[in-house]
Amino acid sequence: MLTAQQLQELTMEQFISLPNTIDLVFQYNQAFQSYVDRHPFIRLGKTVGDFVIAYTQQENLQTILNDLGENEINIIPTVLGLLGQQELAAAGILEVQNQPYLDLRGQGVLIGFIDTGIDYTNKAFIYEDGTSKIKYIWDQTIPGGAPEGYYFGTEYTDAQINTALQSQTPLDIVPTQDTVGHGTFLASLSASRENNEFIGAAPDSDLIVVKLQKARPYYLDLYLVPPDQQNAFASSDLMMGIQYILERAYILKRPVSICISMGTNAGGHDGLGNLETFITRICGLYAISVSVAPGNESAMKHHTQGVIEKDGDSQEIEIVSGDNGAPILVNLWSLASDKMSISVTSPTGELVGRVPFKPGTTVQSKLILEKALVIVQYIFPVAGTGSQLTIVKIIDPTPGIWKITVFGDIIINGTYHAWLPITGLVDPQIQFLRPDPNYTIVVPATALGTITSGAYNSVDNSLYASSSWGPTRLPLNSPVMVAPGVNVAGIYPTGYGTMTGTSVSASITAGACALMLQWGFLNENQIPMNSFLIRSYFIKGCIRDPDIEYPNDQWGYGKLNLINTFNQMRE
């Protein structure tokens, strides 16, 4: 272990790369700056909006929490997973591309992806003159060439990418790859050039790509992420990825449509967390749009809710545990006006008695006749929202049905919501016995102003079975609408294929947003164009079934149809 003096002598890049370093997200102010100035064991990294990413050694975390009167949920990054593994005509985009008076193909607009990277050698992302559509790539996984103002990863410019494309061995010059394929596929839906009758929504747009690094082991352990899950990313790295795209778009003096196709259930689902607040403020900026996938959670049995009517009443939450011993993580949220406490009962009837509510309490109970360890933690108030968060972790759970009994100590409203981690970040055998498909919009799609598109099948006009349902806890009507997202064709690094999920609908929507930015900002039809305005235009143009009442929690305001948006403007 390095001494304090040795740690101080490390460069920022060296400090961040230490295996015991963790990153924390703080709202930046002079009081926090003063604290950092007086405590060299914490270092400031990148500023993102009103927030700053700070770094410290893991053993200093409790000291920082105590000194600042903070709790973990307020400053520790969450872990996000991918949301899905060409229906442009159905979305009214092809008609817009082919309308001669509109002439909208994304010229002059950037589309930004923060995902698993991109296959920059694919012809889908190369213009006819052999130059790349990609202006910048920040690969967070490759050390040694961090962008200015950042402290890890490597940045590749279009000049470097174009040089690589002229080489017989391009990866020797620009070694970034998309080994998952998720990012490449989504970028093809938004921005592919014409390629064997395949075309993206904005084929003349350019790209800025961020390849996220895997979340640090500390966060994977904290959120009980399955050990074989490779696609788990920290919200702090996502925030820096968004900031990077904004800064590069500013350098290029071009509007940008940002696509986010990952999410988490670790948060209040009310738009008030750090990540959501950061994105909400971006949505109000001119010449920027943010499309976010709402998730594929409605049928996954990862949410439940209930109402405790009065003081002293209780309700049970039942959770099915699998036979492989995978850990259980439950986040239970209730309003600031209420005070709730819990007990836990194992499948064999062993009881962890009611844990009295006290902010900051963490109680660990090792069962006597089972090997399970039950951890109960109360956090109150959670910054921003003021809610009570109760975290329940069950390590080495006995197979069967676990029961969490929720007691109403003080009840004014009585509503509570409980979430398991999203698909991919929890063992598939772990589910609520009585789930509720509502309130399954994932964070950060719960941010205000984001353009959230659920997924539907454009062949038979049916809603994708797992497309997340609204509303949010704010409450907010969500999703805004739906877009094609079932068995949609696109391009992987290995060739053509299909994908289903709200990642797909989000990327098609991001391409449509690029066309709106071109029409509004670049063509000066609506210069102060932003996410809020694009959202409103899309709502006006949605196609609606006469037999369905809108807005609703599944379809939002209807089906995205860009040509109808322009028709409505004309009328």
Side-chain angles (χ1 to χ4, degrees):
M1 180 177 292
L2 298 178
T3 65
Q5 181 63 35
Q6 289 173 322
L7 287 172
Q8 292 181 38
E9 293 173 352
L10 295 178
T11 66
M12 190 65 167
E13 290 82 356
Q14 291 170 329
F15 187 83
I16 288 176
S17 66
L18 293 174
N20 209 32
T21 295
I22 59 174
D23 44 322
L24 305 170
V25 181
F26 291 93
Q27 283 203 322
Y28 182 78
N29 54 44
Q30 287 303 313
F32 178 64
Q33 179 67 62
S34 175
Y35 178 79
V36 172
D37 292 341
R38 290 181 282 109
H39 296 86
F41 56 73
I42 184 169
R43 295 196 186 186
L44 294 187
K46 182 65 181 177
T47 299
V48 291
D50 295 334
F51 298 91
V52 64
I53 312 300
Y55 298 88
T56 190
Q57 296 300 104
Q58 186 176 326
E59 58 267 23
N60 298 323
L61 175 60
Q62 194 58 53
T63 297
I64 294 170
L65 294 174
N66 293 339
D67 289 348
L68 297 178
E70 284 280 11
N71 55 58
E72 292 182 358
I73 193 67
N74 291 342
I75 64 173
I76 288 181
T78 56
V79 172
L80 302 97
L82 301 178
L83 299 178
Q85 281 301 115
Q86 169 127 58
E87 322 291 59
L88 300 188
I93 294 174
L94 283 182
E95 286 187 72
V96 170
Q97 290 179 357
N98 296 325
Q99 218 288 335
Y101 295 105
L102 288 173
D103 189 29
L104 298 179
R105 290 167 53 91
Q107 303 97 310
V109 181
L110 300 164
I111 303 180
F113 284 92
I114 311 103
D115 214 278
T116 63
I118 193 168
D119 176 12
Y120 72 89
T121 66
N122 196 296
K123 292 182 179 180
F125 311 116
I126 301 174
Y127 285 112
E128 288 70 20
D129 63 1
T131 60
S132 178
K133 290 169 58 68
I134 305 168
K135 293 301 181 182
Y136 294 97
I137 299 175
W138 177 25
D139 190 328
Q140 295 183 353
T141 70
I142 299 177
E148 183 178 357
Y150 298 79
Y151 303 100
F152 60 93
T154 295
E155 178 183 55
Y156 301 102
T157 66
D158 58 347
Q160 292 170 299
I161 295 168
N162 287 330
T163 299
L165 291 175
Q166 300 303 312
S167 170
Q168 295 296 316
T169 55
L171 292 179
D172 290 343
I173 300 171
V174 176
T176 182
Q177 298 182 71
D178 178 10
T179 56
V180 178
H182 191 265
T184 298
F185 188 98
L186 300 185
S188 76
L189 297 181
S190 288
S192 172
R193 300 293 292 166
E194 289 92 340
N195 189 1
N196 295 332
E197 300 183 355
F198 181 88
I199 186 173
D204 290 347
S205 62
D206 290 327
L207 296 170
I208 301 175
V209 175
V210 177
K211 178 179 178 178
L212 289 174
Q213 64 181 347
K214 186 176 180 179
R216 297 176 186 271
Y218 175 80
Y219 304 122
L220 301 177
D221 292 340
L222 181 68
Y223 294 104
L224 304 182
V225 176
D228 59 347
Q229 177 55 261
Q230 297 300 313
N231 299 314
F233 311 103
S235 59
S236 52
D237 290 334
L238 172 61
M239 293 170 74
M240 284 188 282
I242 296 170
Q243 185 69 28
Y244 172 83
I245 289 173
L246 295 176
E247 291 173 354
R248 294 305 175 268
Y250 180 79
I251 290 172
L252 295 171
K253 295 181 170 57
R254 292 166 65 175
V256 61
S257 169
I258 298 174
C259 182
I260 302 171
S261 292
M262 58 189 63
T264 179
N265 274 341
H269 295 71
D270 54 10
L272 299 174
N274 287 346
L275 176 58
E276 296 156 295
T277 300
F278 172 59
I279 291 175
T280 293
R281 290 172 181 168
I282 291 170
C283 288
L285 300 177
Y286 290 169
I288 294 167
S289 69
V290 184
S291 303
V292 186
N296 309 311
E297 291 292 297
S298 66
M300 296 297 104
K301 302 180 180 179
H302 292 157
H303 168 259
T304 192
Q305 66 171 312
V307 178
I308 296 178
E309 297 293 341
K310 61 182 185 299
D311 295 4
D313 284 0
S314 64
Q315 288 189 358
E316 287 186 345
I317 298 173
E318 295 180 306
I319 306 164
V320 179
S321 174
D323 55 11
N324 57 6
I328 298 171
L329 169 62
V330 179
N331 286 335
L332 191 152
W333 291 80
S334 53
L335 296 179
S337 59
D338 299 322
K339 177 181 175 183
M340 298 184 185
S341 56
I342 68 161
S343 67
V344 179
T345 306
S346 78
T348 67
E350 192 163 346
L351 175 67
V352 174
R354 184 175 180 177
V355 179
F357 171 81
K358 182 180 180 181
T361 296
T362 299
V363 174
Q364 299 190 28
S365 301
K366 182 73 175 68
L367 300 193
I368 297 173
L369 300 180
E370 305 173 39
K371 63 179 181 179
L373 172 67
V374 177
I375 303 170
V376 176
Q377 182 179 10
Y378 295 125
I379 298 175
F380 177 83
V382 176
T385 176
S387 296
Q388 176 186 330
L389 169 61
T390 302
I391 299 174
V392 180
K393 295 180 179 180
I394 307 174
I395 312 300
D396 291 324
T398 306
I401 297 175
W402 287 79
K403 295 179 182 179
I404 298 174
T405 303
V406 184
F407 298 93
D409 300 339
I410 299 174
I411 297 299
I412 303 298
N413 177 277
T415 301
Y416 64 84
H417 293 268
W419 284 275
L420 297 164
I422 68 165
T423 304
L425 300 185
V426 65
D427 186 273
Q429 297 183 63
I430 297 174
Q431 301 175 337
F432 288 118
L433 193 61
R434 293 187 297 274
D436 184 339
N438 290 102
Y439 296 90
T440 52
I441 304 293
V442 300
V443 177
T446 45
L448 294 176
T450 58
I451 303 170
T452 58
S453 296
Y456 82 102
N457 188 329
S458 60
V459 175
D460 62 12
N461 284 316
S462 63
L463 187 70
Y464 171 48
S466 292
S467 186
S468 288
W469 295 9
T472 71
R473 280 184 67 232
L474 192 55
L476 178 72
N477 286 331
S478 191
V480 174
M481 59 193 176
V482 297
V486 177
N487 295 325
V488 176
I491 299 172
Y492 289 98
T494 54
Y496 287 100
T498 62
M499 186 185 291
T500 292
T502 58
S503 284
V504 174
S505 53
S507 60
I508 291 176
T509 300
C513 290
L515 302 185
M516 289 297 294
L517 288 170
Q518 181 189 351
W519 174 82
F521 183 78
L522 292 179
N523 295 354
E524 299 185 352
N525 291 298
Q526 178 77 62
I527 292 177
M529 185 68 81
N530 61 20
S531 281
F532 288 96
L533 290 175
I534 293 175
R535 183 178 184 272
S536 296
Y537 280 125
F538 284 168
I539 288 172
K540 289 289 188 184
C542 279
I543 300 298
R544 290 179 265 274
D545 188 323
D547 296 325
I548 298 177
E549 183 177 345
Y550 299 92
N552 62 68
D553 295 331
Q554 297 82 44
W555 295 85
Y557 287 89
K559 294 177 285 189
L560 170 67
N561 192 288
L562 191 57
I563 191 63
N564 197 49
T565 291
F566 285 102
N567 288 336
Q568 291 296 321
M569 281 190 256
R570 180 179 63 181
E571 296 174 4

